[in-house]
Amino acid sequence: MAQCVQSVQEFIQDSFVPLVAALCSEEAERLTRKNNLGFSELVKPFCRLTSEVHMRDPNNQLHVIKNLKIAVNNIITHSPQPGGIRKLLNDVVSVSQPAEGLVTNVITAGDYDLNISATTPWFESYRESFLQSMPASDHEFLNHYVACMLVVSSGEPEPVEQFLKLSQEQHRIQHSSEYAYPKWFIPNTLKYYVLLHDVSAGEEQRADSVYEEMKQRYGTQGCYLLKINSRGSNRGADEQIPDPWSQYLQKNSIQNQESYDDGPYTVISNKNADHLISDGLDNDIQVDGLSNNFKAHPLQLDHLSDTSSSFDGTDYIKTTSSLHESKKTSSGTPHGACLTLTDHDRIRQFIQEFTFRGLLPHIEKTIRQLNDQLISRKGLSRSLFSATKKWFSGSKVPEKSINELKNTSGLLYPPEAPELQIRKMADLCFLVQHYELAYSCYHTAKKDFLNDQAMLYAAGALEMAAVSAFLQPGAPRPYPAHYMDTAIQTYRDICKNMVLAERCVLLSAEILKSQSKYSDAAALLIRLTSEDSDLRSALLLEQAAHCFINMKSPMVRKFAFHMILAGHRYSKAGQKKHALRCYCQAMQVYKGKGWSLAEDHINFTIGRQSFTLRQLDNAVSAFRHILINDSKQPAAQQGTFLREYLYVYKNVTQLSPDGPLPQLPLPYINNSATRVFFGHDRRPAEGEKQAATHISLDQEYDCESSHQWKELEEQVVAVVNKGIIPSNFQPTQYCLNSYSDNSKFPLAVVEEPVTVEVAFRNPLKVPLLLTDLSLLWKFQPKDFSAKHNGATKELVIPQY
């Protein structure tokens, strides 16, 4: 695989982080939108802790957490649809292209010197977006929310009542059967109360008073007063405030575009319409003073059919075109323009306090409770739990091997099942980097799931057990790659879940690469290529190619072959630029090695892709290479090449009609057979032009008689010069060819014709029809007083 910006440990840790939901009042959202940001977007750049944090495990041992990152997201009650996710991933890859002056690796292997892209940022962007867009499932808890922030503005008439409404709304979302999404870690979710105060407009004393009341009601560990500015930007031109939001909001704007592009209409609330359409912001629905931005998922494809029934009041339909116009007008607005560096520090401090005093103590307490429950339940009979599972899932499937288990992925456990409690404890430990305890729990859960033949659950436990084993400090045990292989096979073949199988492959391949096991990583990546997703297959094949080239002994031909396969799949996925890049990198291997058929295919594809991307010069160059050498292609394929080539030339001449005439490589001109004749005035039979078919200078020029005239001329000159031929004597030449002395300019008589015979050769197996040929030439007079008297005619090969 290509080099990545993050290490494998950083990549995995950032892929699985504690999720925190955010539920804001209408006034709080309006306050943050003065900075062209939603609340979750406001805090996003500051969600990584800058210092170590400590917590105690169930054995009361101190555990150190480093570089912890959390994710704060708006509550969304509709799971993302597969079509929306596919479009998001396609857009993420499309906008990520190699930068100008991209750093390349020069790899020397044998007689190859290859310039290979050192990094593949499009793959990293795809991987990040893929993992973040994975919907939560019931067989694991990694994507379940651990806590919920309830955010209210200090400008509310009754802030405490708003907190109560938000708390009730969160409880309804989590515990009502009306909502199956999002998923929550435990029934008693941590609620953290945030009072948002506008320093530039709000009353400081009132905010402090409300905060004191909050501390009395919710405790000092459960609430926070966050102060920010919403003043107009009045900083000087030389005052530069960093914009930490741009790298996050670019991805959000791509994601939110799904709600515009996938349906003809989007339903939004009339009550707050002016505040909803903004670049990089979620479309929120305001109901009863609450910012119910959980009504629709950004990746929801059909808003009209799924959400219209849940709207109250004066909802209206705004067309897609007007939404795009609104996006255009707001796209130039900077984010966080009203915030100062002090505000940045306040937000960062808020996240630190929430994590130190709220989130981590809650997770520590939850882990202890789960551990105590599991210990107390160990004495219970296994038959009881087996009977409970039967009530929920029907009869158990008899013992079979993994390859034979085809119908057990539907087995479900009740929420209180001890197997799920072990998995829940393992996931919590994993999220806070306690990998040793997490591995122990995953390993135990894996055994239980396999005994019950609950293959979806077993695959999930195997996957995370392998990752936990790898991440344990000091590497007490080797990476169990066979765990991941079994998980991939189970996800793909038994559970028919390619999304989870892909996650396994992305994780395992990165781990194998970090251990320099490039061959194993390549085999794993290739194994997941399939016909159901061209984009995924293209990305994985390209990474497999990088594995082959980064081996200790680079496998150059395998690299090129898989680059070609990746380019083909990129092309099928509509990623023309990436397809062209892959083919060009592979061309370095095939060029000039005698593999003419492979080289023809690559050049043809490069030419076609370049033409599609309007890179006409590159297209012409690629097509020319197909027709220069004697082709080994069959006649039908040669005809296809020629038609494409002439079509490209037609477009080139149309775009620049006043430009220089193109130089076509067909047909070939036999330079050694070209002859120029200075002879008598030969009259054409009909008109001023005569067809050149079967016409040759042999009809006008007799080589033997010309030689006789030359000897006669020399004799005359010798007689005149008393038997001596002068050294500067030049006999008259009527025909210039490959055998004549062409170092001196010939003499031509004014108004006498100059005939040029050009011999063509067709290297193809298809006939070439040449019509309306004309010989282009240019007369350049020379100074007769110069050393070489006479004139030069510049002959240009005709075009057709």
Side-chain angles (χ1 to χ4, degrees):
M1 298 172 73
Q3 299 174 15
C4 295
V5 176
Q6 293 179 306
S7 68
V8 59
Q9 289 81 6
E10 293 171 338
F11 157 62
I12 296 176
Q13 287 176 2
D14 286 358
S15 300
F16 302 99
V17 298
L19 295 185
V20 179
L23 191 57
C24 304
S25 70
E26 177 183 348
E27 188 63 30
E29 275 293 323
R30 182 179 291 113
L31 194 159
T32 59
R33 290 186 189 280
K34 292 180 180 180
N35 283 283
N36 200 22
L37 294 164
F39 178 79
S40 61
E41 295 167 336
L42 177 72
V43 302
K44 191 175 290 290
F46 310 99
C47 285
R48 187 183 298 279
L49 301 187
T50 56
S51 58
E52 292 183 356
V53 61
H54 302 81
M55 62 177 291
R56 293 191 177 274
D57 63 15
N59 296 324
N60 212 31
Q61 298 295 318
L62 198 64
H63 170 61
V64 180
I65 305 173
K66 300 179 180 179
N67 204 32
L68 180 66
K69 177 184 177 183
I70 67 172
V72 180
N73 302 323
N74 290 334
I75 293 181
I76 297 168
T77 57
H78 292 282
S79 61
Q81 293 185 353
I85 294 177
R86 285 194 298 270
K87 188 173 186 301
L88 164 67
L89 297 177
N90 190 75
D91 291 344
V92 166
V93 175
S94 180
V95 300
S96 181
Q97 299 290 336
E100 293 293 334
L102 180 68
V103 178
T104 59
N105 284 340
V106 179
I107 297 179
T108 302
D111 57 346
Y112 295 98
D113 289 316
L114 308 177
N115 288 320
I116 308 299
S117 300
T119 60
T120 52
W122 47 89
F123 172 71
E124 294 180 60
S125 298
Y126 168 88
R127 189 176 60 182
E128 178 184 356
S129 299
F130 169 79
L131 293 172
Q132 290 180 356
S133 64
M134 288 191 68
S137 60
D138 292 324
H139 82 287
E140 63 182 16
F141 302 91
L142 294 165
N143 287 346
H144 292 204
Y145 284 106
V146 183
C148 181
M149 291 181 180
L150 306 178
V151 187
V152 170
S153 170
S154 62
E156 299 272 1
E158 297 292 340
V160 177
E161 290 186 8
Q162 282 297 321
F163 278 122
L164 180 60
K165 288 183 179 180
L166 291 178
S167 179
Q168 293 172 346
E169 187 67 25
Q170 189 278 330
H171 186 273
R172 184 172 68 89
I173 293 171
Q174 180 174 355
H175 297 287
S176 170
S177 59
E178 179 183 356
Y179 300 103
Y181 199 87
K183 306 287 185 180
W184 303 86
F185 229 104
I186 60 173
N188 188 20
T189 299
L190 169 68
K191 296 177 182 177
Y192 196 79
Y193 300 85
V194 182
L195 183 66
L196 195 62
H197 178 61
D198 185 352
V199 176
S200 58
E203 300 178 10
E204 190 89 14
Q205 186 175 358
R206 182 174 184 274
D208 292 337
S209 175
V210 173
Y211 183 52
E212 288 298 323
E213 183 178 353
M214 291 171 57
K215 288 192 289 186
Q216 295 295 326
R217 183 181 294 262
Y218 307 118
T220 57
Q221 309 295 322
C223 57
Y224 194 87
L225 173 60
L226 176 59
K227 299 179 180 181
I228 62 172
N229 278 282
S230 62
R231 60 178 177 80
S233 179
N234 56 4
R235 63 175 69 101
D238 56 344
E239 186 180 358
Q240 297 293 329
I241 300 295
D243 178 12
W245 295 276
S246 58
Q247 57 179 321
Y248 300 99
L249 297 186
Q250 181 181 8
K251 299 174 183 175
N252 284 352
S253 63
I254 296 174
Q255 175 172 314
N256 291 340
Q257 190 176 355
E258 312 304 321
S259 59
Y260 305 144
D261 294 344
D262 289 317
Y265 302 102
T266 300
V267 182
I268 61 176
S269 171
N270 188 20
K271 180 178 178 181
N272 210 25
D274 292 339
H275 303 280
L276 301 185
I277 312 302
S278 178
D279 183 37
L281 302 180
D282 296 324
N283 295 326
D284 297 347
I285 312 301
Q286 310 294 339
V287 180
D288 298 332
L290 304 182
S291 175
N292 292 342
N293 49 1
F294 50 84
K295 289 293 182 182
H297 196 282
L299 300 185
Q300 194 73 17
L301 287 174
D302 190 2
H303 293 279
L304 192 59
S305 60
D306 291 342
T307 62
S308 59
S309 59
S310 64
F311 294 140
D312 301 324
T314 56
D315 295 335
Y316 74 102
I317 295 176
K318 191 165 185 179
T319 61
T320 305
S321 60
S322 59
L323 282 169
H324 280 291
E325 291 299 322
S326 300
K327 283 172 63 64
K328 289 179 182 178
T329 58
S330 62
S331 60
T333 307
H335 300 285
C338 303
L339 302 178
T340 63
L341 290 177
T342 302
D343 293 323
H344 292 196
D345 293 335
R346 287 170 176 165
I347 299 172
R348 185 178 291 107
Q349 182 64 29
F350 156 64
I351 294 296
Q352 301 256 349
E353 287 292 318
F354 163 73
T355 307
F356 290 167
R357 300 179 181 273
L359 180 63
L360 290 179
H362 172 71
I363 292 177
E364 180 181 336
K365 177 183 175 182
T366 303
I367 292 176
R368 287 180 179 273
Q369 290 176 346
L370 290 170
N371 185 67
D372 293 342
Q373 291 175 12
L374 292 171
I375 291 176
S376 65
R377 290 184 179 184
K378 279 186 176 180
L380 297 178
S381 171
R382 284 281 299 175
S383 61
L384 173 62
F385 297 120
S386 300
T388 304
K389 287 195 289 292
K390 287 180 181 179
W391 297 338
F392 282 86
S393 60
S395 60
K396 288 180 62 174
V397 178
E399 292 285 345
K400 294 180 180 180
S401 67
I402 288 181
N403 291 329
E404 295 174 335
L405 290 170
K406 299 299 182 184
N407 299 311
T408 56
S409 59
L411 180 65
L412 298 176
Y413 289 92
E416 67 276 7
E419 292 88 348
L420 284 190
Q421 302 307 309
I422 295 177
R423 173 66 201 245
K424 189 177 294 185
M425 180 176 170
D427 286 345
L428 269 180
C429 293
F430 187 90
L431 292 175
V432 294
Q433 303 176 15
H434 200 324
Y435 300 119
E436 185 176 358
L437 183 55
Y439 174 81
S440 177
C441 293
Y442 284 130
H443 196 269
T444 302
K446 178 259 301 183
K447 292 181 179 178
D448 291 340
F449 292 141
L450 286 176
N451 288 335
D452 295 335
Q453 297 181 358
M455 300 311 296
L456 179 63
Y457 296 88
L462 284 166
E463 173 189 6
M464 298 312 298
V467 176
S468 300
F470 170 75
L471 290 176
Q472 287 184 45
R477 53 179 56 86
Y479 169 61
H482 61 287
Y483 277 16
M484 201 66 90
D485 293 340
T486 304
I488 295 170
Q489 180 186 358
T490 304
Y491 280 142
R492 185 187 61 187
D493 300 335
I494 299 177
C495 305
K496 308 299 181 184
N497 193 321
M498 292 298 292
V499 173
L500 292 172
E502 182 177 354
R503 183 179 70 181
C504 283
V505 168
L506 293 176
L507 296 173
S508 188
E510 195 66 33
I511 292 172
L512 292 171
K513 185 193 76 171
S514 69
Q515 299 176 337
S516 298
K517 298 179 180 178
Y518 290 105
S519 180
D520 295 341
L524 194 62
L525 293 163
I526 296 170
R527 191 193 312 169
L528 203 68
T529 58
S530 61
E531 293 302 320
D532 66 305
S533 174
D534 289 313
L535 181 61
R536 180 188 69 234
S537 299
L539 289 160
L540 297 186
L541 285 167
E542 183 181 12
Q543 293 305 308
H546 281 280
C547 287
F548 289 124
I549 203 65
N550 284 314
M551 290 181 179
K552 187 176 181 180
S553 298
M555 305 179 73
V556 179
R557 289 192 292 273
K558 278 197 172 184
F559 160 79
F561 179 72
H562 286 85
M563 268 296 182
I564 294 294
L565 295 179
H568 174 65
R569 300 304 288 271
Y570 272 130
S571 181
K572 290 180 65 179
Q575 301 283 348
K576 303 300 182 184
K577 291 183 180 179
H578 287 297
L580 178 59
R581 175 182 48 76
C582 288
Y583 275 99
C584 289
Q585 291 204 7
M587 189 61 177
Q588 299 176 85
V589 175
Y590 288 99
K591 188 174 183 180
K593 295 298 185 293
W595 301 331
S596 61
L597 296 181
E599 200 169 343
D600 285 351
H601 168 75
I602 298 172
N603 273 316
F604 178 72
T605 307
I606 290 176
R608 178 173 279 182
Q609 299 288 6
S610 298
F611 178 77
T612 302
L613 296 171
R614 309 311 296 169
Q615 301 175 11
L616 298 183
D617 290 341
N618 292 338
V620 168
S621 176
F623 276 116
R624 180 181 292 125
H625 281 88
I626 302 177
L627 304 173
I628 283 180
N629 298 320
D630 289 335
S631 177
K632 297 180 180 178
Q633 299 284 358
Q637 189 63 49
Q638 290 180 2
T640 301
F641 288 168
L642 185 59
R643 284 193 300 272
E644 294 269 354
Y645 191 28
L646 296 178
Y647 181 76
V648 170
Y649 261 120
K650 181 179 179 182
N651 282 268
V652 172
T653 54
Q654 287 177 348
L655 290 177
S656 55
D658 298 332
L661 290 172
Q663 300 293 318
L664 293 178
L666 288 174
Y668 290 175
I669 296 177
N670 188 353
N671 291 328
S672 62
T674 302
R675 297 188 291 183
V676 181
F677 180 66
F678 303 88
H680 57 81
D681 187 5
R682 180 178 170 278
R683 298 293 181 182
E686 298 178 3
E688 297 182 357
K689 292 184 179 180
Q690 181 176 340
T693 305
H694 305 303
I695 299 297
S696 171
L697 286 181
D698 292 337
Q699 302 173 9
E700 310 293 334
Y701 171 71
D702 186 350
C703 183
E704 292 184 3
S705 60
S706 175
H707 185 68
Q708 293 176 1
W709 279 106
K710 177 183 177 183
E711 292 180 349
L712 182 60
E713 187 176 8
E714 289 176 350
Q715 292 175 9
V716 171
V717 171
V719 170
V720 172
N721 290 279
K722 300 178 181 180
I724 299 174
I725 300 177
S727 59
N728 61 349
F729 169 71
Q730 179 183 356
T732 304
Q733 295 188 89
Y734 290 97
C735 184
L736 303 180
N737 52 41
S738 59
Y739 303 105
S740 60
D741 182 7
N742 302 320
S743 62
K744 300 178 181 179
F745 289 116
L747 297 177
V749 180
V750 177
E751 294 187 359
E752 282 194 0
V754 177
T755 306
V756 180
E757 181 184 59
V758 181
F760 294 104
R761 182 175 64 88
N762 180 9
L764 303 182
K765 301 172 185 176
V766 294
L768 299 177
L769 178 62
L770 309 180
T771 58
D772 298 328
L773 261 65
S774 298
L775 184 65
L776 303 181
W777 59 280
K778 183 186 295 184
F779 176 77
Q780 295 179 338
K782 296 294 183 179
D783 186 1
F784 281 89
S785 62
K787 184 177 180 181
H788 298 287
N789 296 332
T792 300
K793 295 182 178 64
E794 179 180 325
L795 301 178
V796 183
I797 300 305
Q799 304 304 309
Y800 46 92

